[in-house]
Amino acid sequence: MTATPHVLTPIVDRPEQRVWIASALAAVLLALPISQLPVPSVGVTELLLGLCLAASVAASERWASTTVRIGEQTHNLTLGEVPLVVGLVIVSPGVLLLARITGAFVGLQVFRRQAGHKTAFNIVHLTAETLVAIGLAAAVAPDGLHDGLRLTILGTSVAVAVATGGGLAMAAVMRITAGRRPPGTLVVSTVREGLFASLVACGAAVMGLALWGVSPLLLWGPLAVTTAIVAAHRSGLGLVQANAIQAGLLTFTRSVTGEEDVTATATHLVEATRSLLSAELVAIRLDGLDDGHDPSWIGVGSAEASKLDHDLALDGRHDEAGCCVGSARETVFAALPMGWLAVGMDRASIRPHDRSAVHMVGNHAAVVLANAERGTRLRRQAAEAHHQARHDSLTGLPNRVALRSAIQAAIQADQPFGVLLVDLNDFKQINDALGHAAGDEVLTELSKRLGPVTEGARLLSRLGGDEFAVVTPGDQAACVALGRQINGEIGREVHISSYDLLVGSSVGLALYPDHGTDVGELLKNADLAMYEVKALGGGVAVFGTDSSGRAMRQLEISSAFRHALQEQQLTVVFQPIIDVATSAVTGVEALTRWTHPELGAVSPDEFIAVAEQTGLITELTHFVLDTTLQWQRLWAAAGLDLQVAVNLSPRSLLDAALPRLVQRHLATHGLPANRLTLELTENSVITDPTRTLAALDRLSGLGVRLSVDDFGTGYSSRSYLRNLPIDCVKIDKSFVLPMDGDPRARGLVAGIIGLCDRLGFSVVAEGIETQDVLDDLQDMGCASGQGYFISRPLDGPGILDWVRGRSLTEGRDSLCVGPNNS
C-alpha cells in the first residue's frame, strides 16, 4: 500500500522540505539492509520477468488503485502487493527491489504526475515494504517457496506487514508535515481499512501462483473474480464517499447562511469547502460586484491567484468537467453567477466523483452567494431609504424628520440649546426670474457655506423650500451670535451663471427650556420669531412675548388665506374716481377686503404679502379680475358705463400667463379691453425690467390701459417713465394729503402733474380728503381724483346707488384721460 501525504490545514516552514529530509534520512537507513542483499546474476529471463514486474507495479499505481481518506490524510490502496508476492517467488530479491522502485517511479511520476517530495517518500516507503517482504520470505521458506502452505503463510504475513506499514507511514506523514502525533485510533483504523485490500491482493497473488503451477489457463477465473472484487470495493467506497459528501452539504449549507456581505460569505464558503472536500486549495473569484473593486480570488495569495487566472484563461487545457490538468495538481473550476469556484487536488489522490462533488458544492455556493448578494442589496436599499427619509434630496442635509429627532435628543440631554429657523428673504423672486434650476443652485451653495459655520451645532437641516434649521448647544448669546454668522454667510454674493445675487435671511430663535420643553413648542416659537423678524426685513429675533402676538397673527394669516380664497371669504369693493374739472364719475378702483372670523379685518398689505410668498397671487388676481369685470358688466346693463382699475402684484407681472388670463376674462364677460385699467407699482418694474416690460407690451397690445400706482414712492425717473407703455400715473396719497396747508407739498404735486403732462400721461390723484385739495388739483390741471372726500369704497350695488344719487349725466370720460382714450 502506498501512502500519499495530504494536508488540509495551512503548514508553515515548508512541509515539503521536511518530507524531503525525512525521505533522505530513511534512504540512508535503508542503504545498509539493501547492501546485504546478494548481487543477482541477471539473465535474459529474469530481466524480462523484472521488466514485467516493473510494468505491473506502474500499472497498479495508475489504474489498479483506490483512494481512501482518513481524517486529514489521503491513502491510495493499490494492487501493488500482487507483483510483490509474485516477485518473491519468480525473481531474486535484488531484481524484485529494483523492479518495484522503477515501476513505482514511473507510475507516480509519469502516470500520476505526483509531487517530487511525495514520490520520494512513497519510494522510500515501498523500499522498506519490499525489504520487509524479502525478510519474511527468508524466514518462512529459507530454502524456497515450494508448497502451498508456506506460500499462504507468506502472503498473509506480507498483507499484515503492508497494512501495518501503511498505518505507520500515515502516522509519519502527519508527524512530519503537520508537526503533531496522530491519534492511536486513527492509526488503528488506517491499518484495519488497509488490511482488507492487502489480504485480497496477497490472496490473489498466492492463488495465482498456485494455479500457475497447475495450468496458466486457470488464472483467468481468479483474475476475473479479483477484478470484480476490486471494482465492487471501489464502487462501494465511492458510493459511501458520495453519500458522505451529500450529508456534508447539509452541514455546509447550514454553516454558510449568506447573511453577511458577499465577501465575508465567500470567505466562509472557502473554509467550509476546504473542510468538506479535504482539498489542497479552495478559492472563490468574485466578479461584477457593485462595490467598485476589481475581480479577486478569495482564499489564496496573489501568486496563487495569478496562477488561477492563468489556468482559467487557458484555451484547450480544460476537460469537459471544467478541470485544468496541466500540472501535478488538478484544479476544478465551477462557474458561479458572480464568478468562479476553484478547487485544487493532488492528481495522485483525485477520485472519480470529486469533479461532480465540486460542482455540487458550486451549486450550493451559488445559492448562498446569491442570497448574500440579495441581502446586501436589500440592506443597502434599506439604508438608502432610511437616509432618504431623513435627508433632503437636493442638498443632502438632514430633513424635518431628522430635525425633530435631534431636538428630542437635545431635550433628553437636558442642557441649554437653541433652535434656529432660517428663512431666505424674497427667494421666490430668484425662482421667478431665473428659474427653479438657478434657485436650486443657490440653495446648494448656501448649504455648503453653512456647513463650516455650524460645525459645533448638533444639526444643520433643510426643511424644504427656502428654509433651513439649526439645533445648537449654548445660551441665548451664543445662539444669537451663531444666527448672525448665518446671516453673514447667506448675505455674501452668490454667483449663479452670469448673475451675482444678494440673498438676505431671517433667523428666528427659540431657546430650551425658556421657550419650550417639547419639540412642537420649540419649533412653533422659533417659527413665530422668524415671522416677526421677516416682517422687519431680516435679521435675528429671539422669541418673546412682545413679538409672539404679531408673529402668531402672521402665521395664522398664512395658514388661513388659502382656505379663505377657496371658500370665497374675500370680497371686492370699489372706490369711485371722478373727473376733477366736472365732478363726473369716470371709473372705480377695485380693492380687496378680508374679514377673518377670529382675526377680524386683515389688511391687504398682510394677505397680499402672504399670497406672494405662498404662490397664491395668481389665484387672487383671477378672483379680483373675475369679480370686478362681472360687476362692470352688470353696471353697464343698468346704463352705467364705468372704467375699472385692478391692481397687479409685482409677482403677477413675472407670470408669463398673465396676458392670457386677462384676455380670457375679458372674453368671458364680453367687455372691451380699453375699459380695463391695470395698475402696477414703480418697484414692480425694477424687479426684473426685461420680463416686466415684455409683459406690459403684451398687455398693451391687448388694448388694456396701464397705470403706474403710488407714483413718487419708488425708483421712477423721466427716462424710465418714457420707456414704459403706460397711459396714466396715479400720484400717491402721501404727496396729496399734505397739500392742505403746505405750500411745498402743493409745489411738489404741481411738478409731478407738469412732468406727466409733458410726457403725455393722464394723472389721477389719490387721497383727496378736502374741498381745498380738490380745488388746488383742478387749478393744477389734474385730470382725475379719488379719496374719502369723494367717497369711501363701496360694494357693487352701493356704487350703482351712489352714482344714481349724484344724478350722473351722459357722456362720461374714461378713467385715463389722454390722447389715446376712446
Side-chain angles (χ1 to χ4, degrees):
M1 182 182 71
T2 304
T4 301
H6 181 83
V7 183
L8 267 177
T9 54
I11 305 299
V12 297
D13 298 331
R14 303 290 297 277
E16 62 273 12
Q17 289 184 351
R18 294 202 293 271
V19 173
W20 277 114
I21 294 172
S23 300
L25 292 174
V28 171
L29 293 176
L30 292 174
L32 180 61
I34 292 174
S35 65
Q36 300 302 315
L37 294 177
V39 178
S41 177
V42 181
V44 175
T45 301
E46 191 166 17
L47 178 61
L48 291 175
L49 290 174
L51 292 175
C52 290
L53 286 174
S56 300
V57 172
S60 67
E61 291 290 348
R62 175 61 182 90
W63 291 285
S65 65
T66 298
T67 302
V68 178
R69 286 177 184 160
I70 301 175
E72 296 179 343
Q73 298 300 316
T74 299
H75 301 274
N76 290 313
L77 303 180
T78 70
L79 293 179
E81 293 87 345
V82 173
L84 174 61
V85 173
V86 172
L88 290 171
V89 176
I90 66 175
V91 295
S92 63
V95 172
L96 173 61
L97 179 62
L98 183 61
R100 291 204 77 198
I101 292 174
T102 304
F105 181 82
V106 173
L108 295 174
Q109 279 293 299
V110 177
F111 292 153
R112 287 165 57 180
R113 299 180 184 176
Q114 193 177 66
H117 66 284
K118 294 182 180 181
T119 299
F121 180 87
N122 283 322
I123 288 179
V124 168
H125 171 234
L126 180 141
T127 301
E129 187 180 79
T130 305
L131 292 174
V132 169
I134 292 172
L136 289 172
V140 171
D143 55 349
L145 296 168
H146 302 298
D147 58 76
L149 178 60
R150 291 183 178 184
L151 193 59
T152 301
I153 294 173
L154 177 62
T156 304
S157 301
V158 170
V160 173
V162 169
T164 303
L168 295 175
M170 181 275 299
V173 168
M174 289 190 65
R175 184 68 176 178
I176 294 170
T177 58
R180 55 187 172 88
R181 179 183 301 172
T185 55
L186 181 60
V187 176
V188 172
S189 63
T190 303
V191 173
R192 186 173 58 250
E193 293 290 336
L195 183 59
F196 170 76
S198 294
L199 286 173
V200 170
C202 291
V206 170
M207 184 180 296
L209 288 171
L211 294 175
W212 180 272
V214 178
S215 173
L217 294 176
L218 297 177
L219 289 176
W220 289 106
L223 182 61
V225 172
T226 303
T227 303
I229 292 174
V230 172
H233 175 69
R234 294 180 65 178
S235 177
L237 186 62
L239 181 60
V240 170
Q241 292 168 343
N243 289 337
I245 290 290
Q246 290 283 3
L249 282 175
L250 180 60
T251 304
F252 171 86
T253 305
R254 288 175 177 173
S255 66
V256 187
T257 61
E259 293 180 355
E260 300 177 285
D261 62 72
V262 178
T263 303
T265 301
T267 301
H268 290 167
L269 280 171
V270 167
E271 297 171 356
T273 303
R274 184 182 289 118
S275 175
L276 178 65
L277 299 179
S278 300
E280 281 188 340
L281 174 145
V282 177
I284 290 179
R285 170 174 160 152
L286 297 177
D287 300 335
L289 296 181
D290 296 333
D291 57 4
H293 292 86
D294 294 332
S296 59
W297 287 98
I298 295 173
V300 294
S302 58
E304 191 67 49
S306 299
K307 185 177 184 304
L308 287 174
D309 284 331
H310 177 266
D311 291 344
L312 190 61
L314 288 178
D315 294 327
R317 293 189 61 195
H318 296 80
D319 61 18
E320 294 180 357
C323 304
C324 179
V325 294
S327 63
R329 186 181 71 203
E330 182 171 285
T331 304
V332 183
F333 292 96
L336 302 175
M338 57 185 67
W340 293 89
L341 168 66
V343 178
M345 301 179 185
D346 190 331
R347 296 193 66 240
S349 62
I350 198 74
R351 296 168 293 178
H353 65 278
D354 278 336
R355 296 182 183 87
S356 61
V358 170
H359 288 286
M360 289 169 60
V361 172
N363 291 335
H364 285 257
V367 174
V368 172
L369 286 173
N371 290 338
E373 195 276 335
R374 188 180 301 110
T376 300
R377 186 173 65 252
L378 290 176
R379 286 191 292 271
R380 183 171 59 248
Q381 291 173 351
E384 291 175 355
H386 181 266
H387 182 274
Q388 292 173 359
R390 298 176 62 87
H391 289 77
D392 171 50
S393 59
L394 175 64
T395 63
L397 294 176
N399 60 11
R400 188 179 294 273
V401 175
L403 171 66
R404 297 183 70 90
S405 298
I407 296 175
Q408 185 61 47
I411 292 173
Q412 291 175 353
D414 198 24
Q415 295 294 324
F417 70 91
V419 178
L420 295 88
L421 291 187
V422 184
D423 186 85
L424 305 182
N425 299 335
D426 298 324
F427 182 74
K428 191 174 186 299
Q429 293 184 7
I430 296 176
N431 284 333
D432 292 340
L434 301 179
H436 288 279
D440 289 346
E441 288 188 56
V442 172
L443 293 172
T444 303
E445 171 61 25
L446 293 181
S447 68
K448 292 178 182 178
R449 289 186 186 179
L450 294 181
V453 176
T454 57
E455 280 184 350
R458 280 180 171 268
L459 185 77
L460 166 65
S461 67
R462 181 189 174 217
L463 306 186
D466 57 353
E467 284 190 326
F468 296 85
V470 179
V471 181
T472 182
D475 56 13
Q476 177 172 321
C479 293
V480 169
L482 178 59
R484 289 172 178 165
Q485 282 186 282
I486 290 172
N487 271 341
E489 286 297 319
I490 293 177
R492 292 192 292 113
E493 283 188 349
V494 180
H495 183 76
I496 300 297
S497 300
S498 58
Y499 297 92
D500 291 322
L501 305 177
L502 288 176
V503 183
S505 59
S506 302
V507 180
L509 170 63
L511 299 166
Y512 171 86
D514 299 340
H515 303 146
T517 56
D518 63 68
V519 176
E521 189 177 12
L522 287 168
L523 284 174
K524 181 192 73 173
N525 291 338
D527 207 22
L528 292 174
M530 185 268 291
Y531 267 100
E532 173 67 16
V533 73
K534 191 175 184 68
L536 300 175
V540 181
V542 182
F543 175 77
T545 305
D546 294 338
S547 64
S548 62
R550 292 189 299 273
M552 179 62 76
R553 177 177 172 83
Q554 290 177 335
L555 185 60
E556 291 176 343
I557 289 172
S558 178
S559 301
F561 181 72
R562 183 184 296 274
H563 177 74
L565 195 58
Q566 293 173 347
E567 297 300 321
Q568 298 183 347
Q569 293 180 5
L570 280 72
T571 59
V572 179
V573 296
F574 307 95
Q575 186 171 38
I577 300 173
I578 65 170
D579 185 307
V580 172
T582 64
S583 296
V585 180
T586 57
V588 295
E589 179 183 4
L591 304 171
T592 310
R593 297 290 183 262
W594 177 26
T595 301
H596 190 271
E598 298 176 0
L599 298 175
V602 182
S603 71
D605 290 340
E606 290 181 301
F607 66 75
I608 288 176
V610 168
E612 291 179 335
Q613 292 172 3
T614 58
L616 295 173
I617 192 63
T618 299
E619 295 184 35
L620 179 60
T621 303
H622 169 80
F623 167 74
V624 175
L625 273 174
D626 185 65
T627 303
T628 300
L629 294 178
Q630 183 178 8
W631 275 111
Q632 186 183 35
R633 179 166 51 82
L634 292 175
W635 293 330
L640 185 62
D641 182 17
L642 294 177
Q643 184 90 12
V644 293
V646 174
N647 291 282
L648 288 180
S649 164
R651 298 289 173 84
S652 296
L653 284 176
L654 296 175
D655 186 356
L658 176 64
R660 292 195 301 273
L661 175 67
V662 172
Q663 187 177 30
R664 185 171 68 251
H665 279 292
L666 289 171
T668 298
H669 294 285
L671 296 171
N674 62 3
R675 306 308 293 160
L676 171 64
T677 297
L678 297 178
E679 297 185 355
L680 57 141
T681 63
E682 297 174 79
N683 292 343
S684 65
V685 181
I686 297 300
T687 302
D688 188 347
T690 303
R691 293 174 62 185
T692 302
L693 287 174
L696 293 178
D697 286 336
R698 292 178 62 191
L699 290 170
S700 179
L702 295 176
V704 173
R705 304 292 184 179
L706 299 175
S707 172
V708 174
D709 194 15
D710 300 334
F711 182 81
T713 61
Y715 303 100
S716 59
S717 67
R718 181 176 299 182
S719 59
Y720 159 72
L721 287 174
R722 186 171 61 246
N723 294 327
L724 291 178
I726 61 175
D727 301 284
C728 51
V729 171
K730 296 186 76 171
I731 303 175
D732 187 68
K733 62 184 178 181
S734 61
F735 295 100
V736 176
L737 287 173
M739 286 177 58
D740 193 5
D742 187 348
R744 290 179 299 178
R746 288 196 295 272
L748 182 58
V749 172
I752 294 174
I753 294 173
L755 172 64
C756 292
D757 183 61
R758 289 192 294 275
L759 292 174
F761 303 141
S762 180
V763 178
V764 179
E766 297 179 308
I768 301 174
E769 296 191 357
T770 66
Q771 182 65 51
D772 290 339
V773 171
L774 181 60
D775 293 339
D776 287 342
L777 289 171
Q778 182 178 3
D779 294 339
M780 295 175 186
C782 180
S784 304
Q786 65 184 96
Y788 285 174
F789 177 73
I790 299 170
S791 174
R792 289 181 174 273
L794 304 169
D795 59 14
I799 287 292
L800 189 60
D801 294 340
W802 183 80
V803 172
R804 286 174 176 172
R806 288 172 58 89
S807 300
L808 296 176
T809 59
E810 296 291 335
R812 296 175 178 83
D813 200 357
S814 72
L815 170 63
C816 295
V817 180
N820 296 325
N821 204 28
S822 60

